[in-house]
């Protein structure tokens, strides 16, 4: 599994790098769920980034949402929870990122928070 993950991870990062280089946009956002767990490896592959933003929910909400999603996708909720138990805790991640966006409300509230952050950073989207 480790060897397979290494192969797939390298391919995905290289693909991201190629697509970013082809992109003409001034600002590019990448959704990389395990960036903090693999940051050194991704930089060694040549992935460059200016900031890391974390979309945050507390542990209880995270677990509730993951369970609901697992059930919806016909997965075992306990298997999904075991995966997040192997990751850096969400509380620790907060101290490792440039920006934290609280996502404990509605989708509409999240959109407002993201737009506010983009405006604060003078990023037109």
């Amino acid at each position: 599994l480790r060897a397979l993950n290494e192969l797939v991870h390298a391919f995905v990062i290289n693909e991201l790098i190629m697509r970013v280089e082809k992109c003409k946009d001034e600002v590019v956002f990448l959704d990389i769920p395990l960036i903090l767990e693999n940051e050194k490896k991704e930089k060694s592959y040549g992935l460059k980034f200016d900031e890391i933003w974390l979309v945050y929910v507390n542990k209880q909400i995270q677990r509730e949402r993951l369970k609901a999603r697992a059930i919806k996708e016909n997965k075992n909720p306990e298997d999904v929870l075991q995966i997040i138990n192997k990751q850096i805790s969400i509380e620790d991640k907060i101290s490792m990122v440039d920006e934290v966006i609280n996502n404990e409300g509605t989708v509409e509230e999240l959109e407002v928070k993201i737009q506010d952050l983009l405006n604060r950073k003078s990023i037109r989207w």
Side-chain angles (χ1 to χ4, degrees):
L1 181 58
R2 184 174 294 182
L4 178 61
N5 282 339
E6 291 282 332
L7 276 171
V8 171
H9 194 81
F11 174 80
V12 169
I13 295 299
N14 285 329
E15 188 69 23
L16 284 174
I17 291 168
M18 283 186 353
R19 290 179 185 217
V20 168
E21 288 173 353
K22 288 180 183 178
C23 183
K24 303 290 186 220
D25 294 333
E26 192 173 319
V27 177
V28 177
F29 288 90
L30 301 175
D31 182 6
I32 306 176
L34 297 176
I35 186 123
L36 297 172
E37 285 80 357
N38 298 307
E39 186 176 357
K40 288 179 186 170
K41 188 179 293 181
E42 280 143 6
K43 284 184 176 178
S44 74
Y45 291 141
L47 183 64
K48 298 175 187 167
F49 46 87
D50 297 312
E51 294 185 357
I52 297 176
W53 295 6
L54 174 69
V55 179
Y56 166 88
V57 295
N58 69 50
K59 191 176 246 180
Q60 180 182 350
I61 292 174
Q62 179 189 32
R63 291 179 170 283
E64 289 170 4
R65 288 180 181 177
L66 285 171
K67 281 182 184 179
R69 185 168 136 198
I71 291 167
K72 185 177 178 181
E73 295 174 355
N74 294 318
K75 296 178 181 172
N76 181 343
E78 293 307 313
D79 291 344
V80 173
L81 294 176
Q82 288 301 318
I83 292 170
I84 65 166
N85 288 337
K86 295 176 184 175
Q87 298 174 4
I88 300 170
S89 76
I90 196 76
E91 293 79 13
D92 288 342
K93 288 180 180 183
I94 289 173
S95 66
M96 302 169 69
V97 300
D98 300 290
E99 297 290 344
V100 177
I101 303 166
N102 185 303
N103 185 23
E104 294 177 357
T106 65
V107 171
E108 293 78 17
E109 291 169 327
L110 176 62
E111 288 175 358
V112 168
K113 290 175 184 178
I114 292 170
Q115 191 60 56
D116 287 346
L117 181 55
L118 293 170
N119 290 340
R120 192 166 35 106
K121 292 187 172 278
S122 300
I123 299 172
R124 287 181 284 134
W125 188 252

